[in-house]
Amino acid sequence: MEHAEVHIKEEKFEISSGNKKWAFGLMIVGFLLAVIGYFTYHPHIEGLNEHDLHHLTQKRLWSNLLVNGYFFFIVSICAAAFIAISQIANAGWYVAIRRIPEAMSEYTLIGGPILVIVSLFALPILYHWAHEGIMNPESANFDAILAGKSWYLNVPFFYVRMVLFMSFWMFCAHMFRKYSRKEDLEGGMTNYTKTYALSATFTVIFGFTFSMFSWDQMMSIDAHWYSTIFSIYNFATGWVSALTIMYLFTHYLRSKGLLNIATDEHQHDLGKFMFAFSVFWTYMFTAQFLLIWYANIPEEVAYYKERLFGSYQFLFFFILVLNFCVPFFIFMRRDWKRSRKVGYIVGAALLLGHWLDVYLMVMPGSMNLATLPTAENPGGIIKVPFQGFGIMEIGFLCLFAGLFLWMTLKALTKANLYPTKHPYIMESALHDVGV
Amino acid sequence: MSYESPIRDQLVTGGKTYRDVTRDVTRPLENAPSKSWWIGFSISTLVLALWIGATTYTVFVGLGAWGLNKTVGWAFDITNFVFWVGIGHAGTLISAVLLLFRQKWRMSINRSAEAMTIFAVICAASFILSHMGRPWVAYWPIPLPNAFGTLWVNFNSPLVWDVFAISTYFSVSLVFWYIGLIPDIATVRDRAVSKARKFWYGFFAMGWNGSTKTWHRYEVISLILAGISTPLVLSVHSIVSMDFATSLVPGWHTTIFPPYFVAGAIFSGFGMVLTLLIIAREVMNYKDYITEAHLDAMTKIVMVTGTMVGMAYITEFFVAAYSGVEYEQYAFLNRAFGPYWWAYWTMMTCNLVAPQVFWFKWARTTPWFIFIMSIIVNIGMWFERFVIIVTSLHRDFLPSSWAMYTPTITEVSILIGSFGLFFFLYFLFCKFLPTINMAEVKSIIPTHHEDHGHNHVKGENHAN
Amino acid sequence: MQTNKYILGVYDNPDKIYSTTKKLINKGYKVDDVYSPFAIHGMDRLLGIKRSNLTVAAFLFAMTGLTLAVTFQVYVSKIDWPMIIGGKPNLHIPTYIPITFELSILFTAFGMVTCFFIVNRMFWGKNADIIDPRVTDDLFVVSIQIQENKTDIQALNQILVENGALEVRERIKD
């Protein structure tokens, strides 16, 4: 019934030397590890010649770049989606932490071009449908099923879609930031109304385009395979990861005595979101897995055969533990959603879990070698078992994490730590989750 | 009262006081039913009689009374079942999901939406019973040790999952609804004059006296019930969708079915809520409780879920083409351009295209227009189930067994009659229970009436 | 010495009763309970009501439902009457998910609601201990327990009236 006094003041974030050390340290160490990993990787697989093995090294390199490029990009674009969805839902509570997703979305400025470049190189190396001769009936590599998809899966169309979608999203994310920063100076409702209209447009278009984006980037790696729920599943992955990063940043900033307008109540609500959407992710996972497992149609189960019964089995179950069991059983408790220590542990587990999830979408499909179809191997694909989780993986993960961290921290310095003139700022400041 | 930004819409208009709320909501309970109530109730009773007649006829004659054949073994019965279960989703969604999201506009609509849920699930269950052909052995899907040895039910079967899902959903919704009703029943009890009213409402009020200790536990339990009802709502329609999706039938077996069915259920549920509430706010004069802001919010949800469902249609179509499986491709081409093309395009128009008018503010706030739209949504969602079931079945793998399906008069009567059952129960509900959650609505009325709630800012804003 | 005598202050506004209750508690009066037509935000914390343990009960009930469902399905499909259906293994774990989930929810809901009724001592047909018939309509009542030789009834009445009480009266609970 009565409220503590809240002071809305302009608060700035400054990058400390510790921040710099971490961000650049991660990038440098990551880069070095990746380089070492690349040069020390000498696969020994029976029946493969030197040329194939060299090709495998290339595949691992570009797979890693694709995993990280994709993961960090969808996380930052889901942060923009978080802003848009909260805006059209008239949410008030999140305003105190709004600058964090805004800052996260600024990574797209560099992550977008990186992903485009990675795709440019990765396409002929990783994607079976883009290999030479697959679509050509004259060729020995000809695959009639994939050729039937050439109306959609062809290189020029792939790029047109990718560039078009990504530039639209990045434009919207940019406008969200711009309106929000302008609001701090001007006040009033103009920028709010504009954001509202743009958010509605963005959300609808994002829904459709993100679907295609995930089919292009991820589903077409296993070119024969298809699943209608795949895009929603991918969205769940990006969305939970984005929420987790917001949650971690809020904890971090508060631990440094900043962003005091955000309280345990905000932490609690973000924690609830992480909990709820982890369950949502599990729901998507189950829907896809259960239906494919149950129907047992050969062209569909191929995807799970490698993951569930092949060399990736451990990761498959490990992801379920990280993405479902950890948040579900730990974040069920009210005080653990509010605790910084527990929050850091759960957050780290979730991020690792979702990163591994993307890893598992890419690797079993991309680490294959195309050969001429033979009687024993009519698909013309040699499956390469899990090559281990080596320093190349760790290196690239660190490199991208450092880059993401740096872009986000830098973006945080560009404006007040929370929007001071947002119409819902007081609601957010006095936010209380109730019972 | 937590702080609210002044730019938010007032959820209760007309400067209502607590006492006004009590009076307005209990009026239909305490007075003789109005003329419009009698007219509505009589019509629904007549339609209910049609349902009883047609269902009884089916039970006596057997399923031969229906237009099913060897190829199309599921048609109107399961279409209606899924349709009604779908309708039954908005109630719990409004009270549970919107409670978790702290959407206060749910407060004046959740009671009737939950009632609608319960009645819709009853209608849905009636179709399951009648489509069994021998309803007297309806207990067979329940895993009971039985007289035939301990032959258990098949836990691999989605139909058994359905039995568990629907009965859990029905009973949990009923409990949730009842818990929400207790404080309001106590209000009616305390206002009662006649002895019978005092006794019956007192009986069900369970000695509620508004103590803060009870309120605290009440809030906690509402929150947990909401927390478990939310995944329950999602699971129920997911499991219904698995009746189809676990099969090998092209057009049925697709992984997007669970979330797509859930989105469709919310869509149709909100359609039905709008139909009912627009009538209620006119007939019972609840315009100050179910305001234009409420209609605006609900129509936005209709638009969003409609677009989601539309996206699922397009995804299915796209992936069928992309998959390279000719049976999948044929199933979808047959849907859109085969003999049942009219059903497919009705579905597309009503569910994907029509709700797009809600981009316009006028469309979102004009009751008569929303009323028409809500009926269109319901028609579209009925056709969606019809399209999924009949068009996927009628041309299967063997062209020699291709067939067409036409409903008989009995089936149509049962469908129409089920609306009679639904409205019959709904009218009784309006007469005997408060249709608006008084306790919750009172909690969002601004506390200072003199300044109409526009100036109850308590925090200090030190922005420059 | 506590007595079974209570002073009731009747209000018509949740803000007023909240601030009054706060004053009374600060002055050391023993506020027994506050009765209201709806849950007043923050009142439970003000009265020092411990957060209900219903959530723990909920978790335990969920686990019970889960265990029962899994045990039963495994017993039926693996031990008691194994049958191969659709080429699935007898221990068809993924298809246990739906029923296990539903039963966990069912047990949680019913178990918890039963607990709720028990802790509140609510049951069908209970005679309500009605403080004021309008407390379920539009009035808010604060009830203060009188302590022998300690509570200054005069001063208490004055506080209640000064803070806008419509009515102050005495109540004896047996």
Side-chain angles (χ1 to χ4, degrees):
Chain A
M1 303 301 290
E2 58 194 307
H3 301 293
E5 232 176 63
V6 178
H7 299 272
I8 304 291
K9 55 175 193 277
E10 301 201 333
E11 198 178 325
K12 294 274 187 201
F13 174 71
E14 274 171 35
I15 296 181
S16 68
S17 58
N19 293 153
K20 258 187 207 162
K21 256 182 231 161
W22 265 99
F24 283 103
L26 274 172
M27 278 192 259
I28 293 165
V29 171
F31 182 73
L32 290 177
L33 285 178
V35 171
I36 298 170
Y38 177 69
F39 285 109
T40 52
Y41 174 53
H42 296 297
H44 295 288
I45 294 160
E46 255 177 66
L48 293 189
N49 58 33
E50 208 45 46
H51 174 75
D52 282 347
L53 291 176
H54 172 71
H55 209 60
L56 204 57
T57 318
Q58 293 299 316
K59 286 199 175 225
R60 191 165 170 193
L61 171 74
W62 288 105
S63 301
N64 266 303
L65 278 162
L66 182 65
V67 168
N68 289 297
Y70 182 74
F71 177 74
F72 286 97
F73 183 77
I74 62 166
V75 166
S76 58
I77 209 65
C78 281
F82 176 81
I83 296 173
I85 291 170
S86 303
Q87 181 85 27
I88 48 174
N90 279 328
W93 69 276
Y94 82 107
V95 176
I97 56 140
R98 195 177 198 268
R99 285 281 142 84
I100 297 171
E102 276 177 28
M104 283 162 67
S105 72
E106 200 154 315
Y107 168 80
T108 50
L109 293 182
I110 187 160
I114 288 179
L115 188 56
V116 172
I117 294 167
V118 167
S119 288
L120 208 58
F121 287 97
L123 205 56
I125 300 175
L126 300 183
Y127 294 78
H128 187 56
W129 58 267
H131 288 155
E132 223 185 299
I134 294 288
M135 310 281 189
N136 180 4
E138 311 286 297
S139 161
N141 284 332
F142 178 66
D143 185 323
I145 293 174
L146 292 187
K149 304 183 181 195
S150 61
W151 57 274
Y152 184 76
L153 290 180
N154 60 67
V155 179
F157 194 22
F158 181 93
Y159 281 120
V160 169
R161 285 194 301 263
M162 187 177 182
V163 172
L164 216 61
F165 296 167
M166 284 168 77
S167 35
F168 174 75
W169 302 341
M170 281 155 68
F171 166 75
C172 289
H174 171 75
M175 293 312 280
F176 292 150
R177 290 192 298 272
K178 197 178 140 192
Y179 290 144
S180 173
R181 286 169 193 173
K182 244 168 94 182
E183 189 180 60
D184 272 9
L185 304 173
E186 296 168 357
M189 292 293 288
T190 340
N191 290 298
Y192 178 83
T193 325
K194 278 185 191 162
T195 316
Y196 195 96
L198 185 64
S199 297
T201 323
F202 172 79
T203 309
V204 173
I205 296 179
F206 180 75
F208 284 89
T209 50
F210 186 82
S211 285
M212 285 196 234
F213 183 72
S214 67
W215 296 332
D216 290 347
Q217 296 283 321
M218 291 288 126
M219 198 165 88
S220 79
I221 292 175
D222 291 275
H224 290 95
W225 182 75
Y226 56 91
S227 165
T228 38
I229 208 177
F230 193 77
S231 51
I232 309 173
Y233 179 73
N234 267 256
F235 173 71
T237 299
W239 181 256
V240 176
S241 312
L243 286 170
T244 309
I245 296 178
M246 279 177 238
Y247 175 84
L248 292 177
F249 261 108
T250 314
H251 259 324
Y252 170 74
L253 290 173
R254 291 177 60 224
S255 77
K256 294 286 163 201
L258 296 159
L259 199 67
N260 282 323
I261 192 169
T263 58
D264 278 353
E265 309 287 323
H266 297 82
Q267 220 66 67
H268 187 145
D269 264 357
L270 279 169
K272 272 193 211 163
F273 258 152
M274 285 157 69
F275 176 86
F277 283 98
S278 292
V279 176
F280 178 76
W281 175 90
T282 316
Y283 168 51
M284 294 303 153
F285 176 91
T286 315
Q288 178 169 294
F289 173 70
L290 181 64
L291 292 178
I292 290 178
W293 177 85
Y294 198 106
N296 210 9
I297 297 174
E299 49 261 43
E300 287 185 357
V301 285
Y303 182 81
Y304 280 111
K305 193 164 181 295
E306 293 163 54
R307 287 160 177 86
L308 183 57
F309 299 113
S311 48
Y312 290 92
Q313 193 179 41
F314 170 74
L315 280 183
F316 184 84
F317 288 108
F318 187 49
I319 287 171
L320 270 182
V321 172
L322 288 180
N323 289 353
F324 175 67
C325 300
V326 170
F328 187 80
F329 288 105
I330 298 183
F331 265 14
M332 194 177 257
R333 276 191 63 130
R334 181 188 174 88
D335 45 349
W336 285 348
K337 285 191 273 269
R338 294 166 175 245
S339 151
R340 184 176 301 141
K341 256 185 219 153
V342 180
Y344 279 161
I345 295 169
V346 174
L350 270 176
L351 285 181
L352 178 65
H354 286 286
W355 184 87
L356 279 174
D357 191 20
V358 174
Y359 180 81
L360 209 59
M361 284 179 207
V362 174
M363 281 293 172
S366 69
M367 293 292 277
N368 287 326
L369 290 169
T371 61
L372 294 182
T374 57
E376 304 90 71
N377 189 5
I381 292 177
I382 302 170
K383 306 247 178 210
V384 178
F386 182 39
Q387 291 295 296
F389 196 83
I391 45 176
M392 208 200 291
E393 277 74 21
I394 298 170
F396 277 114
L397 176 57
C398 291
L399 176 62
F400 275 82
L403 191 63
F404 183 84
L405 192 61
W406 177 246
M407 287 301 289
T408 310
L409 289 172
K410 220 176 79 190
L412 274 178
T413 61
K414 288 185 187 164
N416 295 326
L417 256 185
Y418 53 86
T420 47
K421 289 183 182 157
H422 194 283
Y424 292 144
I425 185 68
M426 282 309 284
E427 261 184 37
S428 186
L430 299 168
H431 178 56
D432 177 359
V433 297
V435 286
Chain B
M1 252 104 302
S2 49
Y3 173 76
E4 279 216 350
S5 169
I7 67 162
R8 293 209 188 265
D9 289 322
Q10 285 294 305
L11 289 173
V12 180
T13 54
K16 297 279 182 190
T17 62
Y18 301 132
R19 197 150 182 76
D20 291 338
V21 175
T22 315
R23 271 198 215 127
D24 289 347
V25 177
T26 51
R27 187 175 300 125
L29 277 67
E30 291 171 349
N31 296 304
S34 65
K35 210 170 164 190
S36 42
W37 187 88
W38 275 116
I39 295 171
F41 186 69
S42 316
I43 295 174
S44 26
T45 313
L46 281 179
V47 183
L48 173 65
L50 180 68
W51 178 82
I52 294 173
T55 310
T56 316
Y57 178 72
T58 303
V59 172
F60 273 100
V61 175
L63 289 192
W66 293 357
L68 303 175
N69 52 49
K70 203 158 86 253
T71 310
V72 187
W74 276 1
F76 253 48
D77 44 0
I78 303 298
T79 303
N80 297 337
F81 160 69
V82 182
F83 172 74
W84 279 115
V85 172
I87 299 282
H89 272 58
T92 312
L93 182 104
I94 289 172
S95 42
V97 181
L98 297 185
L99 184 139
L100 294 184
F101 280 120
R102 288 189 288 268
Q103 294 294 318
K104 290 188 176 152
W105 57 269
R106 78 173 192 284
M107 288 173 174
S108 47
I109 58 173
N110 59 5
R111 174 69 45 73
S112 42
E114 282 171 48
M116 187 193 86
T117 289
I118 289 158
F119 306 147
V121 176
I122 292 174
C123 289
S126 80
F127 284 101
I128 289 296
L129 290 184
S130 61
H131 112 292
M132 286 175 168
R134 288 179 287 169
W136 51 93
V137 291
Y139 63 93
W140 280 6
I142 302 166
L144 298 167
N146 51 53
F148 322 112
T150 48
L151 179 62
W152 300 100
V153 295
N154 172 15
F155 285 119
N156 260 318
S157 165
L159 300 180
V160 172
W161 307 345
D162 237 358
V163 172
F164 280 85
I166 303 284
S167 45
T168 302
Y169 184 58
F170 179 73
S171 42
V172 173
S173 299
L174 196 64
V175 165
F176 198 6
W177 187 54
Y178 180 61
I179 294 282
L181 266 167
I182 291 175
D184 281 3
I185 294 181
T187 306
V188 182
R189 171 199 66 197
D190 292 346
R191 287 173 59 86
V193 198
S194 79
K195 221 171 174 182
R197 292 179 72 82
K198 243 193 169 60
F199 174 77
W200 282 111
Y201 287 98
F203 182 82
F204 287 109
M206 295 180 123
W208 181 272
N209 66 356
S211 131
T212 300
K213 283 171 200 153
T214 330
W215 272 121
H216 169 76
R217 297 189 193 113
Y218 173 88
E219 283 197 301
V220 172
I221 200 174
S222 302
L223 196 69
I224 306 173
L225 278 176
I228 60 170
S229 296
T230 303
L232 178 64
V233 179
L234 300 188
S235 80
V236 172
H237 227 58
S238 300
I239 291 173
V240 169
S241 82
M242 285 178 190
D243 292 348
F244 307 101
T246 50
S247 71
L248 301 175
V249 178
W252 282 10
H253 174 71
T254 175
T255 50
I256 206 173
F257 255 36
Y260 151 45
F261 265 52
V262 172
I266 298 168
F267 178 62
S268 65
F270 266 91
M272 190 58 104
V273 171
L274 280 169
T275 313
L276 292 179
L277 287 184
I278 287 173
I279 300 176
R281 81 195 277 274
E282 289 295 330
V283 175
M284 298 164 120
N285 200 15
Y286 283 160
K287 280 182 192 142
D288 285 325
Y289 303 102
I290 302 157
T291 63
E292 285 187 355
H294 288 87
L295 298 180
D296 185 70
M298 284 193 275
T299 46
K300 275 181 190 161
I301 291 188
V302 166
M303 179 175 76
V304 170
T305 47
T307 313
M308 278 158 76
V309 169
M311 194 177 122
Y313 299 154
I314 296 169
T315 303
E316 273 189 323
F317 220 102
F318 169 83
V319 172
Y322 173 89
S323 70
V325 180
E326 55 182 319
Y327 305 107
E328 285 280 335
Q329 290 169 346
Y330 179 74
F332 281 91
L333 284 178
N334 183 45
R335 261 186 202 181
F337 306 109
Y340 287 108
W341 61 271
W342 46 272
Y344 183 82
W345 292 106
T346 309
M347 159 189 111
M348 271 292 191
T349 320
C350 295
N351 295 351
L352 174 61
V353 182
Q356 303 305 326
V357 296
F358 289 136
W359 282 96
F360 302 103
K361 181 92 183 168
W362 176 84
R364 293 200 302 269
T365 46
T366 311
W368 65 266
F369 181 77
I370 302 172
F371 184 74
I372 295 173
M373 280 302 301
S374 72
I375 302 225
I376 289 179
V377 165
N378 278 314
I379 293 174
M381 283 311 288
W382 189 87
F383 270 102
E384 179 197 297
R385 282 63 179 253
F386 182 79
V387 165
I388 291 173
I389 294 170
V390 175
T391 66
S392 304
L393 286 179
H394 87 115
R395 290 192 168 170
D396 62 4
F397 294 103
L398 280 177
S400 60
S401 57
W402 285 5
M404 291 294 287
Y405 163 79
T406 330
T408 60
I409 196 93
T410 316
E411 283 174 289
V412 179
S413 307
I414 297 180
L415 169 62
I416 295 171
S418 65
F419 283 91
L421 173 62
F422 179 77
F423 281 102
F424 175 79
L425 293 169
Y426 193 78
F427 275 109
L428 285 182
F429 157 71
C430 289
K431 179 68 194 84
F432 290 106
L433 289 169
T435 43
I436 287 180
N437 191 330
M438 290 183 270
E440 285 200 323
V441 166
K442 284 174 193 168
S443 77
I444 50 170
I445 287 183
T447 43
H448 304 293
H449 292 293
E450 52 274 20
D451 50 42
H452 293 284
H454 277 297
N455 195 17
H456 59 129
V457 178
K458 302 239 191 46
E460 283 174 62
N461 192 334
H462 285 269
N464 30 6
Chain C
M1 249 290 280
Q2 299 194 346
T3 63
N4 60 351
K5 258 171 134 188
Y6 296 82
I7 296 285
L8 304 180
V10 182
Y11 292 82
D12 63 351
N13 184 309
D15 287 344
K16 277 185 202 157
I17 199 164
Y18 185 90
S19 55
T20 314
T21 312
K22 195 166 184 189
K23 275 178 205 153
L24 291 171
I25 288 174
N26 288 342
K27 291 206 168 135
Y29 289 102
K30 194 171 179 313
V31 177
D32 175 58
D33 211 334
V34 172
Y35 300 87
S36 56
F38 53 85
I40 302 175
H41 192 81
M43 185 61 99
D44 42 359
R45 268 171 276 185
L46 183 65
L47 293 186
I49 295 171
K50 224 180 94 232
R51 195 178 141 76
S52 170
N53 280 330
L54 280 170
T55 44
V56 180
F59 180 73
L60 295 178
F61 282 116
M63 289 301 123
T64 315
L66 185 136
T67 318
L68 269 175
V70 172
T71 320
F72 184 63
Q73 289 179 86
V74 171
Y75 168 74
V76 165
S77 58
K78 176 77 182 164
I79 300 161
D80 191 44
W81 197 301
M83 264 200 297
I84 294 176
I85 295 157
K88 300 280 178 291
N90 289 136
L91 204 65
H92 40 80
I93 296 162
T95 51
Y96 295 152
I97 297 171
I99 292 180
T100 310
F101 177 83
E102 297 302 331
L103 286 185
S104 310
I105 299 276
L106 190 69
F107 272 73
T108 318
F110 277 85
M112 208 178 41
V113 169
T114 312
C115 280
F116 171 75
F117 289 150
I118 291 171
V119 290
N120 284 332
R121 299 192 173 60
M122 285 165 76
F123 50 87
W124 276 330
K126 181 186 174 185
N127 268 329
D129 173 26
I130 299 169
I131 307 299
D132 186 310
R134 276 177 69 189
V135 92
T136 52
D137 181 1
D138 62 345
L139 291 186
F140 304 79
V141 177
V142 56
S143 122
I144 303 113
Q145 194 173 21
I146 294 177
Q147 283 157 306
E148 201 79 70
N149 305 327
K150 203 179 148 206
T151 312
D152 180 355
I153 297 179
Q154 282 290 312
L156 176 61
N157 282 351
Q158 200 175 353
I159 296 174
L160 290 173
V161 173
E162 268 173 11
N163 285 286
L166 303 179
E167 192 188 327
V168 176
R169 58 172 190 260
E170 201 171 273
R171 180 167 188 267
I172 295 172
K173 214 187 209 171
D174 26 55

